[in-house]
Amino acid sequence: MEGEGIIKLSKSSVSRYEIEAVTDVMQKEYLGMGLQVKEFEDAIGTYLRTQKPIVCVNSGTAALHLALQSLDIKCGDEVLVPTITYVASFQAITAVGATPIACDVDEESFVIDLHDAKRRVSPNTKAIMPVWYAGDISRREKVYLFAKSMGIRVIEDAAHAFGSEINGEVFGSEGDIICFSFDGIKNITCGEGGAIIFSKEFEAEAARNARLLGVDGDSKKREKGLRSWSFSVNMQGWRYHMSNINASIGIAQLKRIDEFKIKKKLLLNAYINELKKIPGCEIPKFDFEGVFMHIFVILVSENLRDQLRKFLLSRGIESGIHYPPNHKLSFFKTNYILPNAERFAKKCISLPYHVDLSERDIKKISKELRNFFNERNDESQTY
Ligand SMILES: *Cc1c(COP(=O)(O)O)cnc(C)c1O
């Protein structure tokens, strides 16, 4: 594009607050896990209005892995998971030696389809891992009722949903286990990072130890800037703790979350207003009221999708596909088909959606979409 920047699908929003926070940690010269991590865990608790134990780790994937491990889910166990998710959800399940049971998705919200999930329950099923696609948490209660009726645990992959609301209240204070991601493009970021909201203190304690190589009680010491020189290890652990640098970015981002929400709502409404007038663009029926939307996804005819992506890119507009179904990947291949998910994956396209977009960007993207579909509609009228 001549001189004009490309419109990115997604990006972090970094203000002077994040830069000041990181500089501050740098100047203190304590970069690893210490005070700021505890401060960030407390800030998350305050934001979610919960006293529940919160454990920060270095990625959303690590959060899912440690959540599974702390429930003692292991080899021989099965976990129900929607096939439409980032591969992280599947990898976290195989990381503990368990088997991910790929399930179909609901046709409206693209979260796990409970009718399909029910068919795939076995005596080995230990948990369900719903993924709040795009941040829509409106099916949460149904998933919990299902899990209760099956006697299984819930590990929420809420990587898309930090800050989403039910009845005007941010969710996170109720539930079994909730995992968030703070990677570079999530609703708020730490650069890289994740958090687990536990409902049982002993499970949180297991995760606190597991994030520090299984060293018993090391988390508590590090909050005070101390280290364990003589210690006991009773479990498999990992190097999953969060650093003070990442935590300080998270603290700064959390202070901006209301501003992010307002901006993203504005962009969302701008998109909906423009796109509802374009035949060929289908806007999913999400719960737009409560969702703090992470990605903006539309559905188009499957024989036009890849063409549209190329067309947009030629106009300087990035797009994405969230997600190719995991049950088609060779490592996770199933011998059954998941029709809704397979159809969805051919039709979905994610449009640029991040805090630093302007309404003008949305107008430009919409104009290009209109151009694309006008050309196609004209052609289709010639026979
Ligand atoms: C981002 C994401 C994850 C993993 O989080 P990371 O912080 O990138 O490890 C897991 N599940 C879903 C649905 C995600 O979008």
Side-chain angles (χ1 to χ4, degrees), residues 364-381:
K364 178 183 153 89
I365 296 161
S366 307
K367 192 185 95 200
E368 297 300 353
L369 283 165
R370 209 175 303 117
N371 289 342
F372 177 85
F373 284 105
N374 277 345
E375 277 173 31
R376 302 301 172 296
N377 291 341
D378 290 349
E379 276 166 33
S380 65
Q381 274 159 18

Side-chain angles (χ1 to χ4, degrees), residues 299-306 321 323 325 328 340-349:
L299 303 175
V300 301
S301 149
E302 65 177 73
N303 51 20
L304 292 180
R305 199 269 307 271
D306 293 338
I321 299 171
Y323 297 91
K328 296 281 198 183
N340 293 347
E342 289 174 33
R343 203 175 322 117
F344 172 75
K346 288 182 194 144
K347 295 173 66 141
C348 68
I349 159 166

Side-chain angles (χ1 to χ4, degrees), residues 183-201:
D183 81 22
I185 55 161
K186 293 297 178 5
N187 284 353
I188 64 163
T189 187
C190 289
E192 298 288 351
I196 317 163
I197 320 299
F198 282 96
S199 49
K200 298 190 169 81
E201 177 51 38

Side-chain angles (χ1 to χ4, degrees), residues 13-22 24-25 28 36 39-48 162-163 182 187-190 246-263 292 355:
S13 173
V14 177
S15 72
R16 69 185 169 87
Y17 299 110
E18 287 81 7
I19 294 169
E20 278 166 13
V22 171
D24 194 47
V25 169
K28 290 195 174 93
Q36 276 74 29
E39 217 178 280
F40 185 44
E41 288 173 346
D42 291 346
I44 294 170
T46 305
Y47 179 70
L48 302 180
F162 190 78
F182 305 123
N187 284 353
I188 64 163
T189 187
C190 289
N246 294 109
S248 71
I249 299 171
I251 293 166
Q253 288 260 307
L254 195 50
K255 289 182 183 150
R256 297 174 65 206
I257 194 166
D258 290 333
E259 168 205 327
F260 289 175
K261 274 193 184 186
I262 291 167
K263 180 65 187 288
F292 178 13
V355 169

Side-chain angles (χ1 to χ4, degrees), residues 14 50 53 73 89 91 129 134 136 160 170 187 193 203 279 286 305 308 326 330 339 350 357 366 369 377:
V14 177
T50 181
I73 289 172
S89 324
Q91 289 285 17
M129 184 184 282
D136 186 343
H160 292 192
V170 174
N187 284 353
E203 288 169 355
F286 290 122
R305 199 269 307 271
L308 173 58
N326 284 275
S330 64
S350 310
L357 281 176
S366 307
L369 283 165
N377 291 341

